[in-house]
Amino acid sequence: MKKLEQEYIQSIEADRKAHYESGQKALEYIENSSARYHGRCVRTLYVPKLFEERDVANFKALLGTLYGIFDKVIDRYLADEDYRRLFGFDPRLEELICLPARYPCRLPVARIDIFYDEITGDFKFCEFNTDGTSAMNEDRELNIAVQRTLAYQQFAENHELCTFELFDTLAAELKAIYDATENASSCPHAAIVDFMDYATENEFKVVAESLRRVGCTAEICEIRELTFDGQALYSPSGRKIDMIYRRAVTCDIMEHYEEVQPLIQAVKAGAVCILGDFRTQVVHNKIFYKVVQMEETLSMLTEAEQQFVQQHFPYTQSFVKELVPLEKVLNHREGWILKPEDSYGSKGVYAGVEYSQEEWEKLVPQQYNRHYIVQEFCQPYRTINIDLMKREEAQFGDYSNITGLYVYHGRFYGIYSRIAECSVISTQYSEMSIATILVKPADQ
């Protein structure tokens, strides 16, 4: 356990009842906050994540290397038809990815999820969320809530604490990307678009407010209700759209391809600036994990980048008969996790550690040759936490961690922290979100 966590936990152990009472105040705030998704309030625990400047330096360094690899892979995809075949995308999607770019930034917004060892600084990549990057509002609300707890207040007496601002920074970077495009409007109308039956609308409202503060007008739009007249794209309210902040993930767009033709046609015509454009799918799709480890990719990377891939990307392969013997996955259950090539929100993810051998042998063949990847399972870093917000008699327990790194316009801006009782941090198991705090050195 890190020294800072030990200090935080010791203060809780000194007066459990008083901390429970303050946890009730935090819980009351959360239950009445905007940290809700389709009526479900975010679940959390009493102890926040505590990071230091050395962690931030680690994150910025790894992101610099990763984004250099991203750029090379995307550029090769655009230029090399043979390389594109390695990804196996739908021809309609391939056409969208290869459209002329309005701006040089290949990934306007992303959250890079990693398994981070907080003691050693080592890590493995879990997922690249380049479309529909979310949970900034959960982090914001959880940080407001945790500041109401006695443990936070006592800890703040001896440390300088701060949180990451994730909305005004996002809006400023989106506006900066747009401003550099040809014929940019001085006061663009921005549309935040998604399939609203899937959307995190409370978060969209905060994004819209931030966009207005940086000089845009903004509205939230159902992606299926846009219209295109051959010259301009319009919102359901009739406003001409200059800039789109795309929260609709690519797999949902492709599933509803005919229903979103106004957007598609406007993008093809270059009539609207879309952030991010469809190039993001090259690294958002989990097939990227396989392709980046192939000789076709490694051969164009520097020696340092090759070592980075080998050290930090879990072994990944398409789960098909030609490449992976079924028995290899069946007989080593705890070493593997199965994931759909293109999904989000942990949908359809199966980790062997969460199943009995009998269950695994029934489940695994059903995913064989069905657009799945099989990936080396990474054991997450574990920390101590406690559910003092709901139970005075709660005990400290051991939790798995995953760390999400927010990157806007290629720059690191903050962290999203999730934990779970089991080894798989997923909404289909016991996933929870917790506040993230940066602890600064005393002399700053």
Side-chain angles (χ1 to χ4, degrees):
M1 190 190 307
K2 295 191 299 184
K3 183 178 178 181
L4 291 175
E5 289 173 349
Q6 288 177 332
E7 180 184 341
Y8 206 96
I9 289 170
Q10 284 170 0
S11 74
I12 298 169
E13 291 176 326
D15 191 347
R16 188 76 63 88
K17 182 177 181 181
H19 286 284
Y20 168 70
E21 290 173 355
S22 76
Q24 293 290 285
K25 296 176 183 177
L27 181 61
E28 181 182 6
Y29 176 83
I30 293 168
E31 290 180 340
N32 291 283
S33 75
S34 62
R36 291 179 172 274
Y37 177 67
H38 289 256
R40 181 182 66 85
C41 188
V42 63
R43 298 171 60 210
T44 191
L45 295 179
Y46 191 71
V47 181
K49 288 299 300 180
L50 304 172
F51 288 107
E52 300 174 75
E53 294 283 6
R54 67 176 182 88
D55 299 304
V56 171
N58 288 342
F59 298 151
K60 289 180 178 179
L62 75 87
L63 289 169
T65 303
L66 179 65
Y67 268 57
I69 294 170
F70 281 167
D71 288 349
K72 289 181 179 180
V73 171
I74 292 172
D75 288 349
R76 175 79 175 275
Y77 183 96
L78 297 173
D80 187 339
E81 183 177 354
D82 290 337
Y83 191 70
R84 289 200 287 271
R85 292 195 186 100
L86 300 178
F87 292 80
F89 291 155
D90 182 317
R92 300 172 303 172
L93 175 55
E94 184 175 300
E95 179 188 9
L96 293 173
I97 294 171
C98 293
L99 290 172
R102 294 280 296 266
Y103 46 82
C105 177
R106 296 164 184 82
L107 300 173
V109 182
R111 194 187 75 221
I112 308 300
D113 289 349
I114 64 173
F115 297 113
Y116 179 64
D117 188 315
E118 297 170 28
I119 301 297
T120 66
D122 197 13
F123 63 93
K124 288 276 191 178
F125 290 113
C126 174
E127 189 170 50
F128 306 136
N129 300 282
T130 65
D131 302 336
T133 299
S134 65
M136 296 90 79
N137 192 51
E138 287 185 14
D139 177 78
R140 183 178 70 97
E141 295 283 40
L142 288 171
N143 272 290
I144 294 172
V146 80
Q147 291 170 21
R148 299 174 180 231
T149 64
L150 178 61
Y152 177 93
Q153 293 161 8
Q154 291 176 336
F155 193 72
E157 291 175 1
N158 301 311
H159 301 278
E160 182 181 350
L161 310 179
C162 66
T163 60
F164 296 100
E165 199 293 309
L166 296 172
F167 285 101
D168 288 349
T169 49
L170 170 65
E173 292 291 8
L174 291 176
K175 179 70 159 44
I177 296 170
Y178 171 79
D179 285 344
T181 62
E182 189 176 0
N183 300 318
S185 169
S186 59
C187 182
H189 185 63
I192 304 161
V193 305
D194 202 350
F195 297 90
M196 294 309 295
D197 41 354
Y198 309 155
T200 53
E201 189 169 357
N202 286 336
E203 184 163 275
F204 293 0
K205 292 175 181 177
V206 186
V207 174
E209 291 171 2
S210 292
L211 286 168
R212 293 176 189 124
R213 282 194 289 272
V214 297
C216 303
T217 56
E219 64 179 310
I220 301 164
C221 299
E222 163 59 54
I223 191 171
R224 289 168 288 202
E225 296 179 4
L226 305 176
T227 56
F228 180 56
D229 66 1
Q231 300 295 322
L233 186 69
Y234 295 90
S235 73
S237 69
R239 292 288 303 270
K240 177 181 175 292
I241 299 170
D242 301 299
M243 178 177 82
I244 285 177
Y245 170 39
R246 179 167 73 93
R247 288 291 293 261
V249 298
T250 303
C251 63
D252 288 340
I253 287 176
M254 298 311 295
E255 184 178 345
H256 299 275
Y257 191 79
E258 295 305 321
E259 299 172 67
V260 298
Q261 278 302 298
L263 171 70
I264 297 295
Q265 294 306 317
V267 171
K268 286 183 177 181
V272 68
C273 179
I274 183 169
L275 305 165
D277 63 22
F278 291 94
R279 288 178 295 177
T280 63
Q281 182 67 1
V282 175
V283 301
H284 178 89
N285 191 287
K286 292 178 182 63
I287 203 69
F288 176 87
Y289 279 80
K290 169 191 170 182
V291 174
V292 78
Q293 297 179 60
M294 296 175 68
E295 181 58 29
E296 288 89 338
T297 300
L298 293 173
S299 62
M300 68 180 182
L301 303 182
T302 67
E303 183 176 345
E305 289 170 335
Q306 291 176 18
Q307 292 177 355
F308 183 85
V309 169
Q310 292 160 1
Q311 291 173 5
H312 303 299
F313 280 77
Y315 170 80
T316 305
Q317 188 54 273
S318 296
F319 193 41
V320 295
K321 182 178 180 180
E322 295 80 6
L323 298 172
V324 180
L326 184 60
E327 294 74 18
K328 180 179 180 180
V329 179
L330 290 175
N331 296 337
H332 301 279
R333 171 177 55 84
E334 296 186 353
W336 300 107
I337 186 167
L338 301 176
K339 301 178 181 179
E341 290 177 355
D342 195 10
S343 69
Y344 59 95
S346 301
K347 297 175 183 176
V349 174
Y350 306 104
V353 293
E354 296 301 320
Y355 295 90
S356 68
Q357 186 64 31
E358 182 180 1
E359 291 169 333
W360 188 242
E361 290 179 1
K362 289 181 180 178
L363 172 69
V364 168
Q366 298 175 30
Q367 320 314 325
Y368 209 32
N369 301 306
R370 292 190 59 195
H371 299 286
Y372 262 72
I373 60 167
V374 60
Q375 194 170 73
E376 167 198 353
F377 181 73
C378 302
Q379 284 289 348
Y381 177 78
R382 297 185 73 87
T383 53
I384 303 299
N385 216 308
I386 190 168
D387 191 10
L388 265 185
M389 292 184 177
K390 291 186 177 180
R391 296 183 294 123
E392 184 176 356
E393 70 280 6
Q395 301 298 315
F396 284 100
D398 203 24
Y399 292 85
S400 298
N401 289 254
I402 191 167
T403 302
L405 309 177
Y406 288 106
V407 191
Y408 309 151
H409 204 171
R411 301 179 180 94
F412 167 81
Y413 274 106
I415 302 168
Y416 175 48
S417 299
R418 287 174 290 163
I419 59 174
E421 295 174 357
C422 59
S423 296
V424 181
I425 303 104
S426 163
T427 52
Q428 69 193 69
Y429 295 106
S430 57
E431 177 188 282
M432 291 169 277
S433 304
I434 55 177
T436 301
I437 296 169
L438 179 62
V439 184
K440 293 196 170 184
D443 58 350
Q444 286 196 5

